Amino acid sequence: MMASATTSSTLLRDLVALTKPRLSSMVLLTTAGGLWLAGGRLGSSSAMAAMMGTTLAVAGAHTLNSYLERDLDRAMRRTRTRPLPAGRLDARLALWLGIALSTVSVPVLWFGVNPLTAALGLLAIVSYVLAYTPLKTRSPWALHVGALPGALPPLMGWTAARGTLDAAGLVLFGVLFVWQLPHFLAIALYRREDYAAAGMKTAPSVWGEGAARLHMAAYTALLLPLSVALVSLRVAGWWYGSAAIALGVGFLWSTL
């Protein structure tokens, strides 16, 4: 009886791990930020549907990514202990879980929120699974493709509240899109041997470390005017603007 409970607990933990819960919690935070900043009159049920649908979409995309990259993960030290490369889970179970989560997310967003937000959720799934995942072993531009679905959650929160795409929502998307790039590049520099062992094409391995560092500085510099643009668009006030400038300068200094 005890062994059965332990097995069930391990199985559940491994299934949750496929969805990359730490990243999914970030998605919850940024979606909620988009909802709050949009300031629309969205009912509590629609707000919950937006949060749930976005989280399901990202969890499904992560699970399918885990399924597709199980052999690559086996080649890297930091990922070889994950459920699929370690052989603790049947790959077919991961595949069907990813399909189920992704499939459920779209109607939750469509009927619970609006078609535009559902379309953005579908774009996040498709771009992450069918574009970003296979491109990682072919081109360092996978970095930018992968930042697209990562930056969609705040825009989805915005469109859930406003029901339309506008400049302010796109700037929110742009802030998170650009913010991810120096972080991804830093990981690529730090883990370059791991990525090389898995055959992944990263900026440091293809363009060189110097070019990767220049890209990091350029993207961090671009983040400053993007984040301050939210003030001119009346999404945020100058308390936010002052903090954004101070933190942006600190971020740029640390990158340099």
Side-chain angles (χ1 to χ4, degrees), residues 11-67:
L11 174 62
L12 180 59
R13 187 166 56 249
D14 283 342
L15 289 173
V16 171
L18 292 176
T19 68
K20 302 179 182 176
R22 290 177 64 186
L23 288 175
S24 296
S25 64
M26 187 71 167
V27 167
L28 275 172
L29 180 66
T30 55
T31 305
L35 278 167
W36 179 62
L37 289 170
R41 295 182 177 179
L42 192 67
S44 57
S45 61
S46 294
M48 286 297 295
M51 298 284 285
M52 181 184 300
T54 305
T55 302
L56 286 171
V58 173
H62 286 158
T63 302
L64 291 172
N65 170 265
S66 296
Y67 167 78

Side-chain angles (χ1 to χ4, degrees), residues 42 46 106 108-120 156-164:
L42 192 67
S46 294
V106 177
V108 167
L109 292 169
W110 185 287
F111 296 109
V113 187
N114 57 54
L116 175 58
T117 305
L120 292 174
M156 292 170 69
W158 185 273
T159 60
R162 295 286 182 97
T164 184

Side-chain angles (χ1 to χ4, degrees), residues 14 73 76-86 88:
D14 283 342
D73 285 345
M76 295 193 292
R77 288 192 302 273
R78 73 183 185 92
T79 57
R80 62 180 54 157
T81 59
R82 288 177 178 177
L84 290 176
R88 294 195 305 273

Side-chain angles (χ1 to χ4, degrees), residues 127-128 131-151 176-189 195 200-204 207 211-216 219:
S127 60
Y128 194 85
Y132 168 64
T133 299
L135 197 60
K136 287 166 77 172
T137 56
R138 301 177 185 178
S139 170
W141 290 107
L143 164 79
H144 303 78
V145 176
L148 170 66
L176 194 51
F177 180 88
V178 173
W179 176 85
Q180 294 174 88
L181 299 177
H183 290 83
F184 288 164
L185 285 165
I187 294 170
L189 284 164
Y195 286 128
M200 294 188 184
K201 306 296 185 184
T202 64
W207 299 333
R213 293 176 192 278
L214 283 174
H215 276 82
M216 288 173 66
Y219 294 134

